[in-house]
Amino acid sequence: MYSSLILLPFLSVIALNLPFRNLMKKLAFVVCLLVLLVQISLIVCPSICIWSNDLDIFGSFLQFNFAVDNLSRVMLFCIGIVLLAALFVQRYIIDDEERIFNFVNVLLLILIGMDGIVMVRDIFSLYIFLEITAVGSFILIGFNKDVDAFEAAFKYIILSVVATVLMLSSIALLLIVSGSTSFSSISDALKTSPDSLLISSAVAIFLCACFIKAGLIPFHGWLADTYSAAPAAVSVLLAGIVTKTVGAYTLIRIVNSVFGFESSINSLLLVIGIISIVIGALAALGQRDFKRMLAYSSISQVGYIILGLGCGTTLGLAGAVFHLFNHSIFKTLLFVNSAAVELETGTTDMNGLSGLSKKMPFTAMTSVVASLSAAGIPPLSGFWSKLIIIMALWMSGFYVYAVIAILASVLTLAYFLSLQRMVFFGRLKEDSANIKEAGLGLMFPALILALIIVAVGLFFPFIINTFILPAGNILGG
Amino acid sequence: MSVDIIILFTFIMAALWTVMTRSLLRSAIGLALTSAILSIIMFRLNSPLAAVFELSVCSGLISVLFISTISLTHPLTQKEVLEHMRERLARFWLLPFIVIVLGITLSLIDIRPVIKLPLPETVKDVRVVLWNLRQVDVMGQIIILLTGVFGVVILFKERVKK
Amino acid sequence: MRLFWSYGLFISILCIIGFYCILVTYNLIRALVGLEILIKAATLLIIVAGYITGHEALAQSLVITLIVIEAVVITVAVGIVLGIRSHNNSLDARKIRNLKG
């Protein structure tokens, strides 16, 4: 059933590029919207999708060994939501039919790439889908032909290809050990074969590649440039889901299903996580650009995810997955807000902005919700995931890490408060008379995302038992 | 084995020349040469089909891509060339020494990883492996080619229109 | 495994050459050449892994996919490089350090 998540976008890309181009250009937005809605509805209530049986005809002669567990479901839901937000933002900003058409095509291909990453159970196929997502992102970063964006894209290409080369070397070394590329047989071979230099170097190289892809601290050079130089819709896409899927999700999946939790891997993850949290937060405090501050905040928040993973316990894993979900929702919302601010005022430099809450009350309100969730203020969703991660650290005996994580949370609050004060509150500038609230096209995704943050926070007891704890217990499902 | 060592040695030499040479055009040609030698090595390692791919795509297509890109840029004047040479030498002179020292040290270390090798595979035909067992990969190839097509449309074609 | 190390030695040297090229050069095209050399090293490593374990068919099918992906990535990268060149008429990385890192 789930192979239709790959086939449906693929067939729609093919259909969009058949003859009747003028008609298809008009339809592109609607088609992409439908594909994303189908994905979300398939995840939320699998039973209603009777149509999926029809698509099994394709599945019968294509043998894709995809598997979907609870972690994959959480990710598939996030992918649907964030791509929907990016689509709306792009639709609002750009009117040209031809450019929307091209954007939609690449967006659908990125959707295939990320769905594939989430569902494959083969390390080489994982690499292929990572590369599809990466190539799609390179193209979209350069979508507006802006010189800064091109430079950021070039930087991203260099680091991304280095990461994939590392990943390929690791795959080759694992091939020597196991003679196969599927997760299960590599995992079995690692358990039975004697501990040697070859295996530990393969594991270290793969983890290093994931750190580059996730933009964690020693390898974060490309991230801030890319997020701040990319077009607004693409920043939403990259920050919201792409780097989380290619970096954080891959790390969780590989450590959990292939390498297993060993003390050396755990301590490496904990150290990288805590360094990213602290340095990312400190760097964010010093930024004077809206999108750049959000980018450094992103590094810091991914650090929490890695920290939760590094506990090596079920609770820690559940916290990591929950924080991954929360982070992609609130960071998407913040980037949608930054898109609104950029569009209305023409700048993202925080020194040139002040008191926008009087002119853009809705944007200000939603960004306050997202910031408070990111800073871990109860009862918003971000509070609960940070609480789970810190509890997991405490219960595993990593007291120092738990204390640092709590203190860094105060730093998070500090930089988000300074962002709010500089951009939305304070005195309105005199020359800003013709600034107005962003249109419905931006308010709608912002409203949905804000509602998700509040609802997940309020219905937390229900959600933890139905989605999050099962996701920690990943092997089931 | 001794023939293989000689081929590997020329492989490294070709790669070194690709990086060290002053002109970009020669660098692109060096890359094609490196690819060609790699395909010989692949052929000797019982992988003829992959060797053909390497020869045609990397040595052919990618070199054409690089050379056409380089031909789009302006050639330097004589004075700039001299300036450029001196400056490049300052940055690249270290590389041959690193390579020699590393080569000698690594050949002195004898690493023999203790590994239980897996059983040889049962299916020996590349076509069967690729088309029957790894259909996801074939699908992935089609998708990434489509992505590349849109990349060309967006990055090259839209600019011409403007 | 003796065989593996004699190939592994040359592969490590190739990686060093590629990394050195990427780190030291100011020319965007040459950085891509460095990336190509790195990818060559990974390709050879996969083939060697297939050879010593007797999984040549699997290794070849992986390498064929890898070569297709490599070609697409390099094409898109060249597109980005030409985009940079059309803006500031140069391939020199020193002229593009607008971004703070």
Side-chain angles (χ1 to χ4, degrees):
Chain A
M1 177 171 90
Y2 286 101
S3 62
S4 56
L5 290 182
I6 301 282
L7 289 173
L8 193 65
F10 180 66
L11 293 178
S12 21
V13 173
I14 302 281
L16 284 177
N17 289 284
L18 287 178
F20 317 114
R21 277 183 71 89
N22 287 331
L23 177 68
M24 288 306 171
K25 273 178 193 156
K26 291 194 173 58
L27 282 179
F29 175 75
V30 181
V31 169
C32 188
L33 195 65
L34 282 179
V35 169
L36 293 172
L37 286 178
V38 163
Q39 169 154 349
I40 293 170
S41 59
L42 184 63
I43 300 307
V44 175
C45 22
S47 53
I48 60 159
C49 298
I50 306 159
W51 50 269
S52 64
N53 291 332
D54 302 331
L55 272 172
D56 278 352
I57 302 164
F58 296 103
S60 59
F61 64 89
L62 291 171
Q63 285 153 2
F64 295 165
N65 42 357
F66 290 138
V68 172
D69 56 14
N70 288 313
L71 171 57
S72 307
R73 285 199 195 95
V74 172
M75 289 308 295
L76 288 170
F77 181 74
C78 287
I79 291 169
I81 292 284
V82 177
L83 260 62
L84 214 54
L87 183 68
F88 273 108
V89 172
Q90 184 74 348
R91 171 78 189 179
Y92 184 74
I93 292 175
I94 293 183
D95 251 349
D96 185 31
E97 219 166 51
E98 170 97 31
R99 305 202 67 208
I100 286 283
F101 176 75
N102 286 337
F103 182 85
V104 162
N105 276 307
V106 181
L107 195 69
L108 283 172
L109 290 166
I110 289 184
L111 173 69
I112 299 174
M114 286 197 290
D115 282 356
I117 294 172
V118 172
M119 295 195 295
V120 290
R121 292 294 178 273
D122 181 290
I123 200 166
F124 193 79
S125 306
L126 177 72
Y127 155 76
I128 297 173
F129 285 108
L130 280 176
E131 207 64 295
I132 293 170
T133 314
V135 172
S137 319
F138 304 152
I139 297 168
L140 286 190
I141 293 168
F143 195 72
N144 283 355
K145 310 249 171 347
D146 180 30
V147 66
D148 279 356
F150 273 137
E151 288 160 13
F154 190 78
K155 220 171 177 180
Y156 187 26
I157 287 178
I158 297 282
L159 277 162
S160 172
V161 173
V162 167
T164 52
V165 164
L166 292 178
M167 217 173 260
L168 282 169
S169 319
S170 172
I171 290 172
L173 296 180
L174 293 172
L175 186 65
I176 295 178
V177 180
S178 69
S180 166
T181 52
S182 78
F183 284 177
S184 54
S185 55
I186 293 176
S187 167
D188 290 343
L190 290 185
K191 275 176 201 137
T192 53
S193 71
D195 191 36
S196 82
L197 188 66
L198 199 67
I199 293 176
S200 29
S201 56
V203 170
I205 290 171
F206 203 101
L207 292 183
C208 197
C210 287
F211 293 152
I212 297 179
K213 284 272 188 186
L216 288 167
I217 271 300
F219 315 106
H220 65 288
W222 58 273
L223 193 132
D225 289 344
T226 314
Y227 285 11
S228 58
V234 184
S235 308
V236 171
L237 187 68
L238 284 174
I241 197 76
V242 169
T243 48
K244 272 83 225 172
T245 312
V246 300
Y249 167 82
T250 312
L251 203 56
I252 295 176
R253 173 63 71 196
I254 287 290
V255 170
N256 186 58
S257 317
V258 182
F259 297 153
F261 290 100
E262 285 170 31
S263 57
S264 55
I265 295 181
N266 286 354
S267 45
L268 178 67
L269 291 174
L270 285 172
V271 169
I272 294 281
I274 207 80
I275 292 175
S276 301
I277 290 174
V278 174
I279 301 197
L282 288 175
L285 265 179
Q287 299 302 319
R288 286 293 168 267
D289 182 279
F290 198 156
K291 286 166 94 175
R292 203 167 259 277
M293 178 182 266
L294 293 183
Y296 279 103
S297 147
S298 207
I299 294 174
S300 168
Q301 300 299 322
V302 173
Y304 278 101
I305 299 171
I306 304 304
L307 202 63
L309 179 66
C311 290
T313 55
T314 312
L315 190 65
L317 203 54
V321 176
F322 193 21
H323 200 64
L324 187 54
F325 171 79
N326 284 336
H327 178 248
S328 60
I329 301 295
F330 65 66
K331 199 44 65 73
T332 309
L333 178 48
L334 283 168
F335 270 98
V336 171
N337 292 147
S338 86
V341 170
E342 189 179 2
L343 200 66
E344 295 302 327
T345 64
T347 176
T348 54
D349 186 2
M350 294 200 283
N351 291 328
L353 299 168
S354 180
L356 286 179
S357 68
K358 297 182 185 68
K359 294 282 182 183
M360 311 171 79
F362 183 80
T363 307
M365 198 184 71
T366 48
S367 89
V368 167
V369 170
S371 305
L372 293 182
S373 175
I377 302 296
L380 296 167
S381 61
F383 166 72
W384 299 106
S385 54
K386 277 192 185 171
L387 186 69
I388 295 176
I389 290 173
I390 289 166
M391 266 166 59
L393 282 169
W394 196 268
M395 281 158 74
S396 317
F398 301 115
Y399 303 116
V400 181
Y401 291 111
V403 170
I404 298 177
I406 294 170
L407 291 179
S409 182
V410 178
L411 277 180
T412 315
L413 189 61
Y415 66 73
F416 272 123
L417 282 182
S418 92
L419 184 143
Q420 296 296 337
R421 196 172 52 82
M422 292 180 79
V423 177
F424 291 111
F425 299 98
R427 246 165 46 91
L428 190 66
K429 292 204 169 174
E430 286 84 17
D431 58 344
S432 53
N434 51 0
I435 294 174
K436 56 185 189 309
E437 180 62 270
L440 273 176
L442 286 179
M443 277 160 78
F444 175 67
L447 181 66
I448 298 286
L449 292 163
L451 283 180
I452 291 177
I453 292 174
V454 176
V456 169
L458 291 181
F459 297 108
F460 172 71
F462 167 71
I463 284 166
I464 181 99
N465 288 323
T466 36
F467 297 109
I468 302 305
L469 284 181
N473 198 356
I474 263 168
L475 301 171
Chain B
M1 193 61 214
S2 59
V3 182
D4 285 331
I5 294 289
I6 293 168
I7 298 175
L8 279 171
F9 201 71
T10 36
F11 183 45
I12 292 294
M13 281 297 144
L16 201 57
W17 184 65
T18 307
V19 173
M20 296 288 293
T21 184
R22 177 171 48 83
S23 121
L24 272 179
L25 199 62
R26 274 184 224 158
S27 188
I29 293 166
L31 196 64
L33 191 67
T34 317
S35 278
I37 300 172
L38 178 60
S39 68
I40 297 174
I41 299 174
M42 282 178 171
F43 192 76
R44 289 186 62 86
L45 290 175
N46 292 344
S47 308
L49 221 64
V52 172
F53 259 80
E54 174 75 31
L55 194 63
S56 58
V57 176
C58 295
S59 188
L61 188 74
I62 291 179
S63 304
V64 170
L65 199 64
F66 272 124
I67 291 172
S68 48
T69 313
I70 292 162
S71 65
L72 284 176
T73 60
H74 303 291
L76 298 173
T77 60
Q78 193 66 35
K79 195 178 157 208
E80 278 173 338
V81 168
L82 282 173
E83 181 89 351
H84 182 63
M85 251 173 78
R86 216 172 297 125
E87 190 200 55
R88 265 184 63 75
L89 200 65
R91 283 180 284 136
F92 275 93
W93 65 270
L94 205 56
L95 183 60
F97 293 100
I98 294 179
V99 167
I100 292 168
V101 170
L102 193 79
I104 292 171
T105 10
L106 286 183
S107 60
L108 291 178
I109 316 168
D110 187 13
I111 299 181
R112 293 179 191 223
V114 193
I115 286 290
K116 196 182 66 190
L117 283 181
L119 298 172
E121 62 197 336
T122 44
V123 188
K124 281 284 179 196
D125 194 341
V126 186
R127 288 164 297 181
V128 175
V129 171
L130 191 60
W131 289 100
N132 294 7
L133 304 178
R134 305 200 64 86
Q135 284 176 344
V136 182
D137 291 11
V138 179
M139 180 87 184
Q141 286 185 28
I142 299 169
I143 294 166
I144 201 158
L145 283 173
L146 263 178
T147 318
V149 170
F150 281 105
V152 171
V153 168
I154 290 172
L155 295 173
F156 291 87
K157 200 176 144 203
E158 279 187 356
R159 184 180 317 123
V160 176
K161 219 171 65 181
K162 190 170 67 182
Chain C
M1 293 314 283
R2 176 90 195 107
L3 185 70
F4 171 69
W5 182 238
S6 50
Y7 281 101
L9 190 159
F10 285 99
I11 291 168
S12 349
I13 294 176
L14 206 60
C15 282
I16 295 294
I17 295 176
F19 273 120
Y20 192 95
C21 180
I22 294 170
L23 288 178
V24 165
T25 189
Y26 292 138
N27 188 299
L28 301 180
I29 297 278
R30 208 180 282 273
L32 292 185
V33 169
L35 283 186
E36 272 285 300
I37 287 178
L38 279 181
I39 299 174
K40 295 278 173 286
T43 315
L44 183 56
L45 192 57
I46 291 178
I47 289 289
V48 170
Y51 180 72
I52 54 179
T53 51
H55 284 67
E56 283 101 345
L58 178 62
Q60 283 189 72
S61 65
L62 300 189
V63 165
I64 290 170
T65 313
L66 166 62
I67 288 171
V68 171
I69 292 176
E70 175 192 349
V72 172
V73 170
I74 293 294
T75 312
V76 171
V78 164
I80 301 279
V81 168
L82 287 179
I84 295 174
R85 198 195 68 91
S86 74
H87 274 284
N88 47 16
N89 216 1
S90 144
L91 289 173
D92 196 328
R94 279 166 297 184
K95 294 193 182 154
I96 71 163
R97 296 273 157 88
N98 295 346
L99 301 165
K100 282 164 265 173

